[in-house]
Amino acid sequence: MMDWPFDRATSLDPATYLQSLGRILATFDASIQDSGNVSFALEAADRRWFVKTAGDPQSAGAPLPHPARVNLLLNARDMALAARHPVLPGFHGLIETAWGPGLIYDWVAGQVLGGPLARKEDPEGPFQRFRRLPPHTLSATLGQVIDLHRRLADAGWVACDFYDGTLMYDFDQDRIWVIDLDLYRRGAFTNEMGRMFGSTRFMAPEEFERGARIDEQTTVFNLGRAISVFMGDATLDPGTFRGAGHEYETMIRACEPDRASRFPGIAEMAASWSPGG
Ligand SMILES: Nc1ncnc2c1ncn2[C@@H]1O[C@H](COP(=O)(O)OP(=O)(O)O)[C@@H](O)[C@H]1O
Ligand SMILES: [Mg+2]
C-alpha cells in the first residue's frame, strides 16, 4: 500500500519535485476548483499517481487559509489509514514539500459526476449518463457507496460534504470511485455553522441548524438523497424512481426529515438496500 518509490521529503515546490520524478499529466488548481488545494496527476515509475496538496501557502482567495487546508489533508490521511475500501483510490502516504504535505493516491480513471449546472444538464455529460445506466448497475453501484459508508461508520467516521462532486464513474470499466472525503469527521459532532459546507440537495435538515447533532444518521440521510438524485428525479416521487420496491422504501426511510424515523445506522440501511446481500 505504501509503495511510493521516491523520496518523501523535498525542499522543492510540488510541481518542480514531481517533474523531476516523471511527467505531470494534469494539474487541478484554482482554474478548476475553488478549494485552494492544488493536485497533480503524475506518471512516474510506470504508473499513475494522484498527488494532492493544500496549494501555495502564499496564494490568497481560497475559502480556508493554508494551515486549515493542511489540517484537512492530514484528516484525510487519518481516514485513509483507518478505512480501506474497494471504491477508495489506494493511498500511499504523505510527502513533505515546500508547500507542506502532499497526499499520494493512485490515479484512477473516471469522470466526476458533479460540476456546474450546465455540465450536469448535458445529456452526454457524466451526470446524465450515470443516471441512465441500467437500474441493476445503479443499484449495485450505490450499494458500494453505501457499503463504503458502513465501513467508515464502523471506524467512527461521519460524512461531511458528500455530494455528486465526491463521485467519479469510470464508464469503460463500469466502476465507481469515491474521492475528496477530506471534510469527513471522526465521531459525531455539533453543527457550529448553521448552514454547513455541502450541496443543498444532499444535505440533511440538521446540516442547516446550528447546535444540531451531526452523526451516522445524518450520513444515512445524505445517502438517501444520493439514491433520490441518481435513481429518481431528486424528489421522493415513486413515479420517476427507477429501482425496485425495497430500494424505494430504503430511500424513503433514509430521507425522513425526523431522524428518529430514519434507519438507526448505515448497517441497517445497507441491509435494507441489499436484502440477503
Ligand atoms: N485519485 C484520483 N485520480 C484521478 N483524479 C482524481 C483523483 N482524485 C481526485 N481527482 C480529480 O481531481 C479533482 C480535484 O480533487 P479533489 O480531491 O476534489 O480536490 P479539492 O479538495 O481541491 O476539491 C477532482 O475533481 C477529480 O477530477
Ligand atoms: Mg473536490
Side-chain angles (χ1 to χ4, degrees):
M1 144 132 171
M2 296 291 185
D3 46 355
W4 170 255
F6 307 110
D7 282 347
R8 288 187 186 267
T10 173
S11 56
L12 301 172
D13 67 86
T16 307
Y17 179 58
L18 298 177
Q19 263 153 16
S20 78
L21 307 180
R23 199 158 66 91
I24 293 177
L25 304 174
T27 302
F28 301 86
D29 59 13
S31 66
I32 298 179
Q33 82 267 341
D34 61 4
S35 63
N37 296 332
V38 177
S39 301
F40 305 89
L42 171 72
E43 193 165 62
D46 288 328
R47 56 190 281 193
R48 288 180 177 186
W49 313 85
F50 183 80
V51 182
K52 180 164 185 173
T53 80
D56 183 345
Q58 305 305 326
S59 71
L64 291 173
H66 189 265
R69 302 202 299 271
V70 167
N71 282 337
L72 289 178
L73 291 189
L74 298 178
N75 182 60
R77 183 258 332 253
D78 292 345
M79 204 186 71
L81 293 176
R84 269 152 241 192
H85 191 277
V87 303
L88 293 178
F91 178 67
H92 303 284
L94 285 188
I95 59 172
E96 277 300 331
T97 76
W99 285 6
L103 301 181
I104 312 290
Y105 294 98
D106 287 331
W107 180 90
V108 297
Q111 292 175 267
V112 176
L113 298 183
L117 193 59
R119 182 168 184 264
K120 283 174 47 172
E121 286 176 342
D122 176 0
E124 295 318 314
F127 184 84
Q128 296 299 342
R129 276 182 73 194
F130 184 73
R131 291 185 67 240
R132 284 199 305 271
L133 290 173
H136 67 269
T137 305
L138 280 176
S139 168
T141 301
L142 293 173
Q144 286 184 289
V145 175
I146 295 169
D147 187 68
L148 165 68
H149 286 85
R150 186 189 53 73
R151 174 81 53 87
L152 291 175
D154 283 350
W157 291 83
V158 171
C160 193
D161 199 22
F162 169 78
Y163 73 122
D164 45 27
T166 313
L167 300 173
M168 283 177 79
Y169 196 74
D170 179 344
F171 291 92
D172 298 321
Q173 304 288 328
D174 261 320
R175 67 172 299 173
I176 189 101
W177 296 105
V178 182
I179 59 161
D180 198 9
L181 305 183
D182 308 1
L183 262 58
Y184 279 36
R185 298 266 283 255
R186 205 189 319 231
F189 61 99
T190 301
N191 174 352
E192 310 276 8
M193 295 177 71
R195 189 199 188 283
M196 295 181 51
F197 290 117
S199 166
T200 305
R201 290 214 284 181
F202 291 83
M203 289 165 71
E206 59 267 28
E207 290 177 274
F208 295 89
E209 188 191 330
R210 189 188 300 261
R213 177 183 163 94
I214 308 294
D215 62 12
E216 188 175 339
Q217 278 186 307
T218 311
T219 308
V220 164
F221 190 101
N222 302 146
L223 293 167
R225 292 296 310 158
I227 296 167
S228 150
V229 163
F230 294 121
M231 292 189 82
D233 63 353
T235 72
L236 302 181
D237 178 359
T240 60
F241 191 74
R242 297 179 64 224
H246 72 276
E247 291 165 347
Y248 180 76
E249 297 303 328
T250 305
M251 171 183 79
I252 292 292
R253 186 159 173 212
C255 292
E256 287 284 354
D258 172 15
R259 59 162 63 236
S261 304
R262 289 177 211 157
F263 296 102
I266 319 262
E268 292 81 0
M269 180 180 184
S272 170
W273 187 255
S274 311

